[in-house]
Amino acid sequence: MGWWKSRHSVAEAVENDVHKNDQRSSEASADAKPLLVVEGVERTFQVGGQPLHVLKGLHMELKPRQLVMLRGRSGSGKTTLLNMIGGLDQPTKGHIFFHDLPFHKMGDDQRTKVRRKEMGFIFQAFALMPLLSAYENVELSLRMAGVPGGEWKSRVEHCLDLVGLAKRMRHRPFELSGGEQQRVAIAKAIAHRPSLLLADEPTAELDSQMAAQIMAVFQTIIRTEQVTICMTTHDPTILEVADHVYEMVDGKFI
Ligand SMILES: Nc1ncnc2c1ncn2[C@@H]1O[C@H](COP(=O)(O)OP(=O)(O)OP(=O)(O)O)[C@@H](O)[C@H]1O
């Protein structure tokens, strides 16, 4: 059994009463049990001694194997919500459950453990190590995730093949186009087999053809890696491939 099969061990270590239902084996369906639930989430920052209400009572769900988009203007609160979902920040009010774990109650260390094992992140700027090849960049993420060395080669090759870069594994980021660099970043983000991939404006730096390629890769990895993807976007042209779009205006869904 591969290391990634024990995907509930972190959750179990964090909280013993986690429901053990591996949703990956089931087909994506509107009836499936959610992977993540956001209930009445609010986030208020103190700015210059005044409260700034950024998220104003949000409810949402991410079901297994869905591609969900958060759409909204700059400043509407998309990144703030993505940070909550990824356990990087906590709500001022409300609940976030991930695999039934109460993220809103857990400490930083507990959330970090869950995040490292269960989540992958993709950013607008590709966040690759410039001196490492595509292969070495993906391998690095397996190394950092504590995956046994004997499993690296096949997993790195598999992930780069999935994103269409099997023939460019030895190229360094500056030898790749923006779209190719983003595909390396995707391979890196899925290498440790997360159940949830979070992407903040992953197509913002790309032209429409490259953006379409990224969306095609997302659809492939949802099917083959059985991951759920939640991404933010400004781009109206890519919304049609989403299973669900949450439209955000001034900290609320409309
Ligand atoms: N740590 C913080 N402290 C104070 N204000 C913050 C903080 N983080 C975000 N904000 C404010 O919250 C609002 C929403 O920001 P956020 O980055 O979530 O928007 P966004 O929809 O992701 O925008 P963009 O598309 O430009 O990234 C902005 O007014 C921002 O200035």
Side-chain angles (χ1 to χ4, degrees):
M1 179 180 280
W3 47 271
W4 55 82
K5 299 290 185 195
S6 61
R7 56 189 315 278
H8 285 285
S9 58
V10 170
E12 282 161 9
V14 172
E15 205 156 277
N16 289 328
D17 62 350
V18 175
H19 299 185
K20 294 173 190 146
N21 59 332
D22 193 337
Q23 292 151 324
R24 292 178 161 208
S25 56
S26 64
E27 288 296 308
S29 119
D31 302 330
K33 190 171 185 296
L35 183 77
L36 182 125
V37 177
V38 170
E39 283 178 355
V41 161
E42 299 180 15
R43 181 67 169 105
T44 302
F45 296 108
Q46 292 298 323
V47 179
Q50 298 293 316
L52 177 67
H53 302 292
V54 172
L55 303 182
K56 301 172 180 171
L58 301 178
H59 298 268
M60 71 181 286
E61 286 183 348
L62 302 178
K63 299 274 180 69
R65 300 176 62 185
Q66 274 189 329
L67 174 54
V68 173
M69 296 192 193
L70 305 175
R71 182 194 186 199
R73 289 196 176 164
S74 183
S76 57
K78 304 180 300 294
T79 303
T80 304
L81 176 59
L82 209 65
N83 287 343
M84 305 276 152
I85 293 173
L88 296 164
D89 189 13
Q90 281 191 298
T92 311
K93 198 171 166 193
H95 305 141
I96 296 180
F97 294 96
F98 175 60
H99 283 298
D100 290 338
L101 292 170
F103 254 26
H104 55 283
K105 284 190 196 161
M106 289 161 57
D108 282 349
D109 289 354
Q110 291 176 314
R111 277 182 283 122
T112 299
K113 268 190 200 165
V114 176
R115 190 168 59 240
R116 285 208 180 125
K117 185 158 173 73
E118 295 286 341
M119 294 184 183
F121 291 84
I122 297 168
F123 303 97
Q124 184 174 336
F126 318 119
L128 300 175
M129 303 293 280
L131 298 179
L132 300 185
S133 67
Y135 183 99
E136 289 163 342
N137 263 285
V138 180
E139 187 185 68
L140 180 65
S141 74
L142 292 178
R143 190 187 293 257
M144 289 174 67
V147 174
E151 299 177 32
W152 294 349
K153 186 170 184 294
S154 61
R155 184 64 184 158
V156 172
E157 289 175 355
H158 176 72
C159 290
L160 285 168
D161 191 31
L162 267 181
V163 300
L165 289 176
K167 293 192 175 142
R168 308 228 160 167
M169 286 188 206
R170 299 296 164 191
H171 291 235
R172 287 193 276 173
F174 71 87
E175 298 167 317
L176 298 168
S177 70
E180 288 168 338
Q181 289 182 50
Q182 192 59 303
R183 285 189 272 147
V184 177
I186 295 169
K188 196 173 169 176
I190 60 168
H192 63 298
R193 292 208 178 240
S195 53
L196 178 60
L197 199 57
L198 300 175
D200 200 2
E201 302 272 0
T203 62
E205 301 275 309
L206 306 176
D207 66 29
S208 57
Q209 197 188 344
M210 285 182 184
Q213 284 175 2
I214 296 300
M215 298 320 298
V217 167
F218 278 175
Q219 289 176 304
T220 300
I221 61 178
I222 285 172
R223 203 174 58 246
T224 61
E225 298 292 298
Q226 305 191 3
V227 73
T228 299
I229 300 178
C230 180
M231 59 176 278
T232 64
T233 187
H234 281 108
D235 181 355
T237 65
I238 59 173
L239 296 175
E240 65 191 31
V241 299
D243 293 307
H244 195 90
V245 177
Y246 287 93
E247 178 95 32
M248 197 178 242
V249 175
D250 193 20
K252 291 184 203 149
F253 292 138
I254 55 164

